Amino acid sequence: MPVADSVYFTPDELPSLLLISAAVLVVCVAAVRLTARSGLPALLLYLAVGLMIGEAGLGIEFDSANLAQILGYSALVLILTEGGLTTRWSSIRGSVIPAFALSTVGVLVSVAVVGTVLAVGLGMDWGLALLVGAILSSTDAAAVFSVLRRVPLPRRLTGMLEAESGFNDAPVVILVVTLSTRLADPSHSEPWWQLGISAAWELTAGAVIGMIVGYLGGRLIRGTAIGSSGLFAIGVIAVSVLAYGAAATLGTSGFIACYVASLVLGNMRLPHRAAVSGFAEAVGWLAQIGLFVMLGLVVSPSGFLEQVPLAILLGLVLLLLARPLSVIVSLTPFRIGWRDQAFLSWAGLRGAVPIVLATVPITTQASDTDWILDLVFVLVVAFTLLQAPTLPFMARVLGVTESGHATDLGVESVPLEALGADLLDVQVSDESRLHGVEIFELRLPKGSNVTLIVRDGSSFVPSPRTPLRAGDQMLIVTTAEARDKVERRIRSVSRYGRLAGWAKGRTGR
């Protein structure tokens, strides 16, 4: 069953296509629990499913780099949309500038290090060496968070990783497309300084377009909101995709526009917020599953073995040299602590974006670049297997975990929405000093209250004198205005105990 540019499906083939597609989705959804228990990102499972149903497995052929790139870009738009809509501005506000530096200056440092190793150490052509470095420079924070579900990080790190994942795709795409075009046709190459100005313009203009489209689109759909939360959620997603299309059509960065527009929409207090978040998350999961399965279909396992030595070499260069150096250069001016820098260096997991970008030189017909796709695939899989299981351990060793971490719960509740309220889920870890603290001693801000405690599989409504215990799950209802104060207070008590806040300056970060 080949899937190529010149092949069309007939109605008779539709049942088998739907059968395979539905079976793949069911397997991928059911296996999420397996990946959660193993500590590995779901992307590895989805790639494996793609390989199993591909030409080396069930025999489904997917030999169109153009179609793969189009579908890959479309999936990335939806993934960025979900990321922006579910990111709270207050959680990344203090990390935006450092994360942007890591997504631009850090990317250039990483490209330079990998390119130098390939060109000077292995004698590769400089243009090709820098292209490989650019393809490998994008990190995947989604993979990091899928591993760290049960190892809560402080806001300064989650904000950094969230912002970096939203920002770094755009400059990397610009860099890869530019280098691929130069490699395919050196006679039409622009000077490097001109390319730098062009990239800066694309990113800046794209961000501005994203802000405008997100704000105006949010005002429009909020003013015309109807009773159907599902239809309203579709409208919100459409505004984000509109931002990508508008920016890309005007010759600017569609990816940065899409993320910024989604970030604006996600922080506008739109109606049906729970439904929008739930729908965006479902669309994001569907895009990730489709993307990784397709990438598993695109690659040919016959070319993997040849690329293993170079993949291991470049993976070690990225892990031990390029990523740490990019973090040090980008974040030291912002006085980011060495523990945070060490964790961010180890958390530089590669995911779908490098594999998608490996198709760009093929579609631009750059000579001698077909092998890059196999190289990137092997590197992503091998070093995800190495880094992902050790991330929780590294977080604990470096002391960057944080107990008393509050996360959103998706609850479709009209009363909560009408009040502008949020529902927070707080896990009391073994290390947390919340253990033994009575509810009244939390001294939560006005507008918030502990409504339920889940302990040893049973739930109950606490009284003011109910003490918390390690392992408890605490549900807090809070107004939107009080939410940030609630989170700060919970973190402070978790770190310093019931007397937190009596000493000046010890109220959490």
Side-chain angles (χ1 to χ4, degrees), residues 359-406:
T359 66
V360 174
I362 300 175
T363 59
T364 57
Q365 299 181 343
S367 60
D368 190 29
T369 56
D370 293 349
W371 57 273
I372 297 178
L373 182 59
D374 292 333
L375 168 72
V376 173
F377 190 93
V378 172
L379 187 150
V380 167
V381 172
F383 279 83
T384 300
L385 287 171
L386 170 65
Q387 290 174 260
T390 59
L391 274 176
F393 172 76
M394 292 296 293
R396 288 190 291 268
V397 167
L398 292 170
V400 295
T401 58
E402 182 176 82
S403 53
H405 185 74

Side-chain angles (χ1 to χ4, degrees), residues 36-72:
R37 289 178 177 176
S38 65
L40 295 172
L43 70 90
L44 292 180
L45 171 71
Y46 304 153
L47 290 173
V49 171
L51 287 173
M52 287 189 292
I53 66 175
E55 60 178 277
L58 297 181
I60 299 178
E61 299 177 12
F62 194 114
D63 55 4
S64 173
N66 281 299
L67 182 57
Q69 187 176 331
I70 292 171
L71 294 177

Side-chain angles (χ1 to χ4, degrees), residues 423-424 426 428 437-442 444 448-455 458-469 472-477 490:
L423 184 61
L424 302 181
V426 178
V428 182
V437 174
E438 297 182 5
I439 297 299
F440 82 93
E441 293 177 308
L442 292 174
L444 295 178
S448 60
N449 191 35
V450 179
T451 59
L452 194 72
I453 290 179
V454 180
R455 178 180 296 166
S458 300
S459 59
F460 61 92
V461 177
S463 70
R465 303 292 307 192
T466 298
L468 295 172
R469 295 287 181 262
D472 282 356
Q473 181 180 4
M474 177 170 51
L475 302 184
I476 301 176
V477 174
I490 291 294

Side-chain angles (χ1 to χ4, degrees), residues 234-307:
I234 293 175
V236 173
I237 300 293
V239 171
S240 298
V241 177
L242 175 65
Y244 172 86
T249 301
L250 295 174
T252 63
S253 174
F255 288 109
I256 195 72
C258 174
Y259 179 72
V260 170
S262 302
L263 190 60
V264 171
L265 287 166
N267 288 271
M268 287 185 68
R269 308 298 300 182
L270 297 174
H272 305 301
R273 186 166 59 90
V276 171
S277 297
F279 181 72
E281 185 178 0
V283 169
W285 272 110
L286 185 60
Q288 288 187 59
I289 292 173
L291 175 59
F292 289 120
V293 171
M294 180 201 68
L295 293 176
L297 282 169
V298 170
V299 296
S300 175
S302 60
F304 289 171
L305 189 59
E306 183 180 353
Q307 301 301 329

